[in-house]
Amino acid sequence: MASTIMESLFQRTLEDLVKGLRVQMIGESRYIASHLEEIRKEIKSTDPHTKIVALQKLTYIHMIGGIDMDWAAFHVVEAMSMSKFAHKKIGYLAASLSFHDGTDVLLLITNQLRKDLGSNNEYESGLALECLSIIATPDLAQQLTPDVFSLLASGRVYVRSRASVVIFKLFTKYPDAVRIACKRLVEKLEDTDPKVLSATISVFCEMALKDPASCIPLAPEFYRLLTEPRDNWLLIKVVKIFGLLLPLEPRLSRKVAEPLCEIMRHTTAKSLLLECIRAVTVGLPDHGEGLKLAVQKLKELLMENDPNLKYLGLQALAALMPAHSWAVAENKSIIIRGLNDDDYNIQLASLQLILGMVSEDNLIDTVHVLLQYAERSEVSFCNEVIGSILTTCSRGVYELVSDFTWYTSILGRVSRIRDSAHGKEIERQFVDIGLRVKEVRPDLLAVARGILLDSTLLECPPLYRVLSAAAWIAGEYVEFSHNAIELIEALLQPRIRLLPPAIQAVYLHSVLKVFIYSAYTSLKGVYNEGLPAEQLFSEKDEESTPLSQHLLLIESEVKEVDKAGIVSEEQLEVNMTDDASMHSISIDSQKDIMEGPSLGSECEQFKRLFELIESNVGPMIEHSDVEVQERACNLLGLAKALKEALIISEGIPVFSQSSSMDNALEIVSFLRSVFGKELGPVSAFAQSRVAVPEGLVLMKNLDNLDGMFCDDEVKEKSLTPEFKTREWEVGPKSAESAPDTDSKHGESSSLLAQHRQRHGTYYLPVEKDITAENGYPPPQIVQQDIPSTSSAADDIMKLAEQSLTWSKPRQTKQRPVIVRLDDGDEDLILSSKVKRDAKDNLISSALKDVLVSGKGKPSMKFTSKEDGKSLFRSQQHDHNAVVEVNSNVSVNSEEATKKSGKRHGKHRHKTRSTSMSIKDTAGPCLNQSQGDSHNSHSGQKSRHKSRTPTAIIPQPDVIPDFLS
Amino acid sequence: MTIRFVLLVNKQGQTRLAQYYEYLTIEERRALEGEIVRKCLSRSDSQCSFIEHRNHKVVYRRYASLFFLVGVDGDENELAILEFIHCLVETMDRYFGNVCELDIMFHLEKAHFILEEMVMNGCVVEINKSNILTPIQLMDKNS
């Protein structure tokens, strides 16, 4: 005994702890740790006061520092069971703060909770309810549902209102509770106390949010609450519920529209007004008057210079936009000004609205205005703007873009923004446009050239993907370039070593393509002076196949040689001459060509090309990345082979051996024909369209094929040495002996051609599109003067307001053909239906059962109405249950009228009257509606009216018409 | 559940009161508070009082050196929540008399009790100041 007195005398109180915490010099966590030791001892004390103070301190530490207090769970339970209210409250606080589903002592508190729920002290019941609302588990919910249920009928408002909130928590944990308690909860909608009503309507609002359909039978109750004068908290919830119900039950709109408009006209509370605007937006899309009123009120909100109202107003406009773009157009200037707001959120909201209003006509103006904003604003907003421009313009396979020259210039412009987060998307669009829009390819190449020449971009990792796209375009559409050497120089500038290997590989491949192109054109130029080149060199790959195989062999050989560091030039030369003899190319006339005037310059060009490639690609064959290494080797090998063929002695270009020159030309023209094949977009479903051939079983169990794998391994082993020897073999013999493995290019392209012939239907009709395109005028080049970024924001705004026309789109210019796939291009986003978890479904189904079987529905009225039949069938209402309801109607409604007779004046309170010393930032406020007494009379009347029992005998197919 | 959490944070970003109406582990709470508080504190008076953070919508209001943050469902009426915050502050003001950060630090549990009386399971159940304070004053008298 003495010890406990000493303990409580010398125990540090919570205040000591907090004071100590404020002046401690040893660091908060160490201070807390030292106290925790003390608390651990104190909490075991038999003296209730000592124990409670210890628990209080522990809870405090838990609250401020997030210290785990699971270890004290049992002490918490002890504190909860103390008799003194103050002690009990501290225990309950600790429980609701620290208990969770995994706390094992939860099993011990069921009886304690039950006892406190049933306590005579309303505040003790309140404690237990509060705690239960936080820590309820399915077990607790199951065991305590009857207790809470009985509290719903408690005479004390304090308990009744809290019980109705807690019962919802129990529903979510234990859906069967709905069947027990829902009826009584519905009765609470008739409660005389505004607080109980408010709590109950909150619960139904939650239920409606989870499953609006299940609440439709209660529409008459909600309607009554809507029309009676209530405090704004309650009205907000009721309006919100109607916002959820109206889209499901169009017939409600007739009834609800007028009261909603009435509220909008007269309320001074902006929160309620906002809620009504939201409800009208989703619920009354066809109600002209209501919409007009809502938009007008929205405009008033936007005009007020309050950032909160502006933000919410813009959000409301965004909700209106899909169906009523006129509402957005009316507020254009406010929206555009929003782009310049201090607030990022408002900027974003404005941006979304502006992009939502984009049409084919104002796209160019809009994008220019947005880009100007973007280039002057912070990185995050800039990225946001660019991202949305990219998505908007590419929407529906660029359906908004009519001028692709302009759009590629925009892409080029956004490619220069250093901190861009959209490199990947820009890359995708560059390539995509290249594939889809044939006419814009020259412009694309010009843009890509600009990007490649700008060596500063090589220092911006976010833009690497863009560079990769630019390099690809340079290689793929090189035929539109005027200066291929310049492209190669750009692609091979020494700083490309800064790029990641994958992109270096793209660069190298593009170099190969550009190189082949430029070699081809110059060689052809040389020939053309004497002979028509087409006559000599048909581009058909089939014809050149044997040579190409040979060529590839050489290439791989060179690679090997290079790797080994030995150059066996003689071998190469032998190959070339040997092979040339097989081909019947007329040589005689070429002697003159050699001495032609262009020869010298062509040779110089070649020399330069070779030098460029050798000096820049040479070091790359030792690159650590295999992909880069391989491409570098290929490129270098090819270059060397061509050099051998074309230039014999150093410095003096001698095309003496015309056979080798022919060879070279053939190599080049073959490769050119491979690279020259046009690439087209491929449908995402292309593979699925290939019919499974008859007799092919795809779902066969392959387990029993284990034996065959062994055979495969053996084969592989025998293959490897053969492969090795082949690499060292040279000459046409090897080319003939192993055509399959070596002629990758020729093989694949001829296979491709064969496949295309056989399965033509599964290929995109690229050629067809191209011919169709010919009729279109070339895309216009739009000159845009971009104002200097220093120009004042106001100027831009004025410009924006003048130039952005949000009117009906008009088609003035023909768009170029964009290759579209019929299926694969559309956004593959499936209608995303919100998945409710199983429990929610359980709740709503239980709720539906209860409500539709109407056990607790006094004032529902049913008349037969044929027109709504199908609608209600689809909502799976149980028509048989309707019969039951009507038998109850007369009894229940009598009770209900009695109840309503007892109704008396409600206790009202103002939320905002006390003077405050704390800084009160002025803001919107919920004002109590004035003149309650005046309105309540008519409210009572209508209530009585709605309760008149009906004696209509229901038909089997009766449809409940809730608001007739 | 409309209100998901209520936070009281000072200008330095220290959490002074935290009440969650859905269970989060201590680590999750810390991460969430850290991010949201940083976002809120960086905002100026001329900006709106709402921020969106992942799937949370946060309504906040600043009173002197204290920020009151309320995390709500996407469907919740923001202006009503601002009103709720104001009511909470007024109630605290009445109870403590010129409430300041220190009052809340020294009487954290009282602040919790006030909140408990006002909000239950994420629903606002009481906004009348005298009603809110009755049980708390009763307890003060008893102890």
Side-chain angles (χ1 to χ4, degrees), chain A residues 4 12 54 69 175 265 272 394 408 572 600 630 806 818 825 852 878 923 926 929 945:
Chain A
T4 57
R12 272 187 270 209
M69 57 178 284
R265 269 183 222 114
L272 182 56
S394 64
T408 47
L572 281 172
E630 161 139 13
W806 286 347
I818 303 159
D825 281 337
V852 176
D878 188 352
L926 275 170
S929 55
K945 222 190 271 172

Side-chain angles (χ1 to χ4, degrees), chain A residues 14-15 18-19 22 56 60 63 65-66 84 86 89 93 96-97 100 123 129-130 133-134 158 162 165-166 169 195 206 209 233 236-237 240 270-271 275 278 307-308 311-312 315 342-343 345 907 909 911-912 914 916-921 923-926, chain B residues 1-2 19 23 26 30 43 45-52 61-64 75-80 82-84 86 89-90 93-94 98-99 102 105-106 108-109 112-113 116-117 119-121 123-129 131 134-135 138-139 142-143:
Chain A
L14 178 60
E15 203 178 327
V18 181
K19 273 184 189 157
R22 283 173 55 76
Q56 213 174 2
Y60 185 88
M63 284 191 284
K84 209 169 167 186
K89 191 150 174 86
L93 176 67
S96 50
L97 285 173
H100 50 87
Y123 297 119
L129 284 170
E130 152 72 29
S133 80
I134 291 182
Y158 185 88
R162 279 163 175 75
V165 175
V166 173
K169 176 78 173 184
K195 230 175 290 165
E206 292 299 305
L209 280 169
W233 290 91
I236 288 173
K237 295 281 179 196
K240 195 190 286 296
K270 303 218 166 53
S271 46
E275 202 59 57
R278 286 177 181 173
N308 290 344
Y311 176 68
L312 296 173
Q315 275 196 333
D342 287 342
D343 191 344
N345 293 352
H907 178 64
H909 37 262
T911 53
R912 212 177 197 230
T914 44
M916 294 234 338
S917 58
I918 309 184
K919 187 181 149 211
D920 177 7
T921 49
C925 113
L926 275 170
Chain B
M1 182 156 319
T2 55
Q19 174 71 62
Y23 181 72
I26 288 172
R30 274 196 194 137
R43 295 173 66 81
D45 284 347
S46 63
Q47 298 180 326
C48 71
S49 309
F50 319 114
I51 54 168
E52 309 224 345
R61 202 160 176 176
R62 183 179 169 174
Y63 289 90
D75 308 285
E76 191 48 50
N77 188 312
E78 294 90 345
L79 297 178
L82 279 179
E83 205 52 40
F84 159 75
H86 192 70
V89 176
E90 281 185 331
D93 199 47
R94 181 188 281 195
N98 281 350
V99 66
L102 276 184
M105 280 182 72
F106 278 97
L108 188 52
E109 78 284 3
H112 264 283
F113 293 154
E116 274 179 9
E117 292 299 321
V119 184
M120 199 172 211
N121 193 26
C123 296
V124 178
V125 287
E126 183 64 80
I127 42 171
N128 180 302
K129 286 186 267 298
N131 288 357
T134 314
L138 188 79
M139 179 186 152
N142 282 351
S143 58

Side-chain angles (χ1 to χ4, degrees), chain A residues 83-136:
Chain A
S83 53
K84 209 169 167 186
F85 179 69
H87 293 174
K88 198 187 269 296
K89 191 150 174 86
I90 287 166
Y92 268 106
L93 176 67
S96 50
L97 285 173
S98 67
F99 285 7
H100 50 87
D101 286 359
T103 309
D104 43 9
V105 293
L106 278 183
L107 299 169
L108 303 176
I109 62 170
T110 317
N111 281 325
Q112 184 61 42
L113 282 173
R114 185 171 286 148
K115 198 178 133 219
D116 287 333
L117 284 174
S119 161
N120 284 327
N121 181 344
E122 56 183 328
Y123 297 119
E124 274 185 18
S125 312
L127 271 185
L129 284 170
E130 152 72 29
C131 184
L132 188 60
S133 80
I134 291 182
I135 65 170

Side-chain angles (χ1 to χ4, degrees), chain A residues 357-365 399-403 780 802-815:
Chain A
M357 294 303 289
V358 163
S359 69
E360 214 169 303
D361 287 318
N362 59 28
L363 179 76
I364 293 181
D365 293 330
E399 60 182 7
L400 289 174
V401 181
S402 52
D403 183 350
Q780 251 178 277
Q802 285 159 9
S803 62
L804 291 190
T805 46
W806 286 347
S807 54
K808 289 275 166 202
R810 62 199 144 76
Q811 186 88 23
T812 48
K813 198 168 47 178
Q814 269 184 314
R815 310 173 69 212

Side-chain angles (χ1 to χ4, degrees), chain A residues 705-722:
Chain A
L705 295 183
D706 279 348
M708 291 173 78
F709 282 126
C710 310
D711 294 346
D712 274 359
E713 276 162 29
V714 174
K715 264 184 204 163
E716 262 170 27
K717 265 177 209 161
S718 65
L719 260 176
T720 341
E722 191 192 323

